[in-house]
Each structure stands twice: as C-alpha cells, then as structure tokens.
Amino acid sequence: MTSLEGFHRALDDARERMFTTVERVPLDALTGWSADPDTGTVRHHRGGFFTVEGVRVDRPGHPVDHWSQPIINQPEIGVLGILVKKFDGVPHYLMQLKAEPGNCDGIQVSPTVQATRSNYLRVHGGSPVPYLEYFREPSRHRVVIDVRQSEQGAWFLRKRNRNMVVEVQGEVELRQGFHWLTLPQLHRLLAQDDLVNMDTRSVLACLPLLATEPEPGHERDRGPDRDEFTMALLRSCRAGSPTRHSEQSLLSWITDTRVRTDLTVSGVPLTGLPGWRRVEGRISHDSGRFFDVIGVRVTAAGREVARWDQPMIAPYGMGVVGLLVTRIDGVLHALVRLRAEVGYVDGVELAPTVQCVPENYDVLPPAARPALLDELLGAPASAVRFDTVQSEEGGRFYHARTRHLIVETPYRPESAEHPGFRWMTPHQLSGLLRHSHYVSMETRSLLACLHSLATVPSPAGVR
C-alpha cells in the first residue's frame, strides 16, 4: 500500500531510472520496417505489431463527404489488465509506472499489464511481460470485468483491446515500478495533467459503479452547489434512479443509427494517397493540419526492450473532448452523441458531447464544426467541473494530448435535444460498457474523470 505522498516520491525516483529517449528519423530509415513497393504500406519485417495503410472514406450527405487518410491497422487484440486485491477490506489496484515513446511527460500510471499480442508473445525478442499469467488464465481468480473495447476510431482501423480487472486473494509479488493504489487515490491522480495514461482511464471507466465515498480523513470543500452536484452524481451511478430515456429506447436509437449510417471505408495505396504527401521523411496532409505519420528511434530504460524503431502518428493541435452534464430530477445526466468513425467495428459508438481538434476547422467546411463546441469552451468558470489535459496512448501517438472538460449546464425541458444526442446517466453508460463497441475510447476517458468527481475535492492539485 502506498500513500499519495509516497507514490509521488516513488514517481520522482522512477524518472531517474525509467525513461525513453526519442529521436525522429525518416520513415525510410526505420530499422526493421519497410514500405511495400506496390502499395506503400509500412510494415515490420517480422509481420507482427501493426501496419500503416491508406484508406478512402465515403460518407454521402456529411459536411465532408469523402476523404483519404493513413491509418494504423493493428488487428491483434491486446490486454489492458489491472490486478485488484483487498488490504484490510479496502480494494487496492496494482498500477505500473511506465514510460512510452509518445508520452509528453515521461512516465505515466499504466495498468498492471498493457501489452499487444505481439509484445506478450515476445515477437520483439524482449523480456516477459510481468503479471501476464493472471490475465492469460483469469479463471483461476475472480474476474471483475472482461470486455473488448475499441480504440480511437479516427487513427486505428478496427482496433480492440481486452479490458480486464482480476481480483486476487493470495500473495502477489510486488515488482519494481509497481504500486498498490486505492480507487480514490487514482481518482485524485486524474486531476493532474498527463499522469494517468489512456489505457488506465479506459479500464477504470469499465469498473462497476459503486456509491463511492471520499478517502478517510479527506475533507471536502465544495460549497453548497458543489455538494448538490456531488449528490446528483452519486445518484446517477445507482440502479433505479430516474432517467431521461429508457434503456430500450436508447438501444433502439443506437441500432437505428447504425443501420442508417452510410459510411464506406476502402483500402487504397498509401503511395500517392490523395491529399497527402511524403515530405522530409514523414507523411503529411497538404493543408498542414490533422496529423503526420513520422518515424522514431527509441532508446529505453526499464522496458522489456532497450532499443527499437517504429512509425507513430503525430497530431497537430491539442484535441478537446467534453461532456455537458445536467441535473434531471436530481440525477446527473451526460449529453452523449452517436458518432461515426473510420475505424469502428460497428460504424458508430457513443461519443462525448464534443470531440474535435479546434484548429482543424480552419480547413474544413463551417458545417463540420461541432454544434456545442462554443457552449463548452465558453462556459463560465463556475460551471466547469473538470478541466485537465490527458495524454493519448503513448505507444502509437507522439505527444498527442487532449483537453478533458466536464461542464454543467441548466436543464431546459422545453428545449429539444440536438439531433443525434441523448441525455444518459453514468449508470446507463456503465451498463453498455459491459458489452463491446458501444462506448468510445474518448467517452470512457471522460467517464473515468466524471467518476473521480465523487471523491476528488477539486480539479486542481493532487498532492
């Protein structure tokens, strides 16, 4: 067990012995990687890991009705697993301090196991993944969650990971770089920029909701309005609380939208991809927006492999994901929408109220701008419940950061919901998270942040 003060001391110590050094190199100079002479597809010589391919997307009737882009194709299903064990009756989660080449701030708090199939089969020739046996043979323990979930549908083609939490009873060897933390401690760490990694946020969001309480001895200084907000949030996590829409009507809405969504994704050569060009050893969009495909050479300490090369996606601009939340009959609801993405297995998933990179709209039609972006970004400080910058997955994305916003807005029953949006409670979203491909990565990340507001006194400061 670790206090937060002790954890931060361990984090500072780990930075001295655990790190990645990244050098950007031309794609053609990556050791172990090559481009197919006919299609330009970038792949590893051992055939594992992932490829970078080209796709054409057609979406009739959409503000941008067709485009082409590079995308990561990683068909293998990885494992994102967290071990949980009770100490003195309190669940503690075994978290790993891990440095990834794409991380902005070095080490982040990662799941116990965060590994692709290629990694845990040791295609890279490195050392074994610690604690993997608990997730390869989960029937020997109590499985709390075990569900496949999607990754970013704009950058990954049908990528899925197995999100798992496994409870153990016996002794667990505590290896260097791993720490037992409580859920309230993890929630407090979420209030710090770029510390809790994307995969951890995904798994935390899938945990069954409980009526969480603050840490013992931890005073809450919320003010009367924030106390009412917290109570509405706690009610929204419980079964049987009033909801704006029934479960059946929401499922019907999702199914109907999936049937009606007309989105076609076709594989095309990466070489000569319309709108994209190779320049200075990278693949970039003609507009200078969206993202680049770059090459990196990595030297690492504290990893299974000490050196490797790989392609990465490097986005332009900071992303924004945000939830508008409101109280309906004393129960907090979040405004979510159904969003189609290139890489989703089922075409559409439940996305946040807003999900975008604002700078990209300088080169897109005005009709493509998210309907509620201005309401989210222009909210008064008194309405902002959470505002922190979180990192995207550092194994594939280079310095990809997204501002996470949760903003409360008054409920106006006379106003119709925007087309494609619905008010849902966290309990309803949690129910859908027991199944695959309903709730997007971005929404899961925000849900983890929203759950933290039941235990964290304010978005600022975690020490």
Side-chain angles (χ1 to χ4, degrees):
M1 295 79 76
T2 308
S3 68
L4 274 186
E5 291 76 11
F7 172 78
H8 280 285
R9 287 194 296 270
L11 180 62
D12 291 338
D13 177 67
R15 289 191 173 109
E16 299 296 321
R17 55 180 171 76
M18 188 184 304
F19 57 85
T20 58
T21 302
V22 178
E23 175 191 2
R24 291 181 62 157
V25 298
L27 287 168
D28 293 339
L30 294 178
T31 301
W33 297 79
S34 60
D36 183 280
D38 296 323
T39 65
T41 295
V42 181
R43 57 169 49 90
H44 194 264
H45 71 93
R46 290 180 177 170
F49 305 111
F50 61 94
T51 58
V52 180
E53 305 176 2
V55 293
R56 175 186 166 95
V57 184
D58 290 284
R59 194 174 179 195
H62 194 259
V64 181
D65 59 8
H66 70 275
W67 69 92
S68 299
Q69 68 168 87
I71 199 164
I72 294 174
N73 187 355
Q74 188 172 347
E76 58 186 40
I77 297 174
V79 174
L80 309 178
I82 298 179
L83 284 184
V84 59
K85 177 178 168 63
K86 290 181 179 177
F87 294 93
D88 298 325
V90 178
H92 287 65
Y93 298 82
L94 187 61
M95 309 308 298
Q96 175 183 184
L97 295 179
K98 189 168 187 175
E100 295 278 13
N103 290 354
C104 282
D105 197 21
I107 292 174
Q108 295 182 358
V109 179
S110 306
T112 316
V113 168
Q114 175 186 317
T116 66
R117 189 171 187 272
S118 290
N119 284 346
Y120 65 70
L121 292 179
R122 301 169 67 185
V123 173
H124 49 47
S127 56
V129 176
Y131 303 106
L132 179 64
E133 65 274 13
Y134 290 97
F135 303 96
R136 294 294 299 276
E137 301 177 10
S139 60
R140 298 174 55 188
H141 310 281
R142 188 176 85 85
V143 177
V144 180
I145 61 169
D146 187 0
V147 61
R148 293 181 306 167
Q149 299 291 2
S150 62
E151 298 290 295
Q152 285 93 339
W155 294 336
F156 276 122
L157 186 63
R158 302 184 183 92
K159 176 71 171 72
R160 294 157 292 168
N161 276 322
R162 190 176 181 183
N163 287 236
M164 304 179 72
V165 173
V166 173
E167 184 176 3
V168 293
Q169 302 292 335
E171 292 297 317
V172 177
E173 178 188 0
L174 189 62
R175 298 171 182 256
Q176 188 178 46
F178 291 81
H179 299 268
W180 292 106
L181 296 172
T182 65
L183 193 57
Q185 286 175 326
L186 286 168
H187 282 164
R188 293 186 70 194
L189 295 177
L190 277 168
Q192 185 167 327
D193 288 355
D194 300 314
L195 183 56
V196 177
N197 85 349
M198 184 196 83
D199 297 318
T200 298
R201 301 194 304 269
S202 177
V203 178
L204 291 180
C206 295
L207 279 172
L209 293 174
L210 300 173
T212 51
E213 295 295 337
E215 285 185 284
H218 187 70
E219 295 183 3
R220 297 200 293 183
D221 183 18
R222 302 177 185 270
D225 186 59
R226 184 58 65 89
D227 281 335
E228 291 178 8
F229 173 86
T230 305
M231 293 308 299
L233 172 56
L234 290 173
R235 292 187 200 104
S236 73
C237 296
R238 297 171 184 151
S241 293
T243 61
R244 176 68 177 82
H245 300 282
S246 69
E247 178 183 354
Q248 185 54 56
S249 68
L250 291 169
L251 288 172
S252 181
W253 170 56
I254 295 168
T255 301
D256 184 65
T257 304
R258 285 176 169 170
V259 170
R260 293 174 181 270
T261 297
D262 187 2
L263 184 147
T264 303
V265 181
S266 309
V268 296
L270 191 59
T271 301
L273 193 67
W276 297 79
R277 55 196 170 96
R278 283 182 176 261
V279 55
E280 298 179 351
R282 66 182 188 271
I283 301 172
S284 300
H285 193 264
D286 290 342
S287 68
R289 298 292 187 182
F290 307 111
F291 61 87
D292 287 347
V293 181
I294 65 171
V296 297
R297 181 159 294 150
V298 185
T299 303
R303 293 279 305 230
E304 295 91 350
V305 180
R307 292 179 179 83
W308 73 91
D309 290 3
Q310 69 171 90
M312 299 191 83
I313 282 181
Y316 282 96
M318 181 180 292
V320 173
V321 294
L323 281 177
L324 289 177
V325 297
T326 197
R327 306 175 209 174
I328 302 175
D329 297 328
V331 177
L332 199 72
H333 287 62
L335 188 63
V336 295
R337 62 171 299 190
L338 282 172
R339 180 183 176 98
E341 291 278 17
V342 178
Y344 287 159
V345 173
D346 270 332
V348 300
E349 294 190 7
L350 289 165
T353 316
V354 169
Q355 173 186 328
C356 69
V357 178
E359 291 87 342
N360 287 342
Y361 293 97
D362 294 344
V363 296
L364 291 173
R369 185 176 174 84
L372 296 168
L373 177 60
D374 293 336
E375 181 172 346
L376 189 81
L377 296 181
S382 59
V384 177
R385 300 308 189 191
F386 191 94
D387 186 356
T388 304
V389 175
Q390 304 287 356
S391 292
E392 302 303 322
E393 204 272 311
R396 299 290 176 266
F397 311 133
Y398 184 76
H399 291 185
R401 306 174 75 217
T402 305
R403 184 182 178 190
H404 284 52
L405 275 167
I406 299 174
V407 171
E408 187 171 15
T409 187
Y411 180 58
R412 303 179 181 89
E414 71 281 0
S415 300
E417 288 166 318
H418 284 267
F421 291 78
R422 294 288 188 277
W423 290 108
M424 294 181 64
T425 67
H427 188 269
Q428 289 176 316
L429 289 164
S430 181
L432 290 175
L433 279 168
R434 294 197 298 268
H435 309 280
S436 301
H437 312 144
Y438 277 102
V439 182
S440 74
M441 178 67 246
E442 292 80 5
T443 306
R444 297 198 303 277
S445 186
L446 278 165
L447 276 175
C449 299
L450 181 61
H451 295 165
S452 76
L453 295 179
T455 54
V456 178
S458 73
V462 297
R463 288 184 182 256

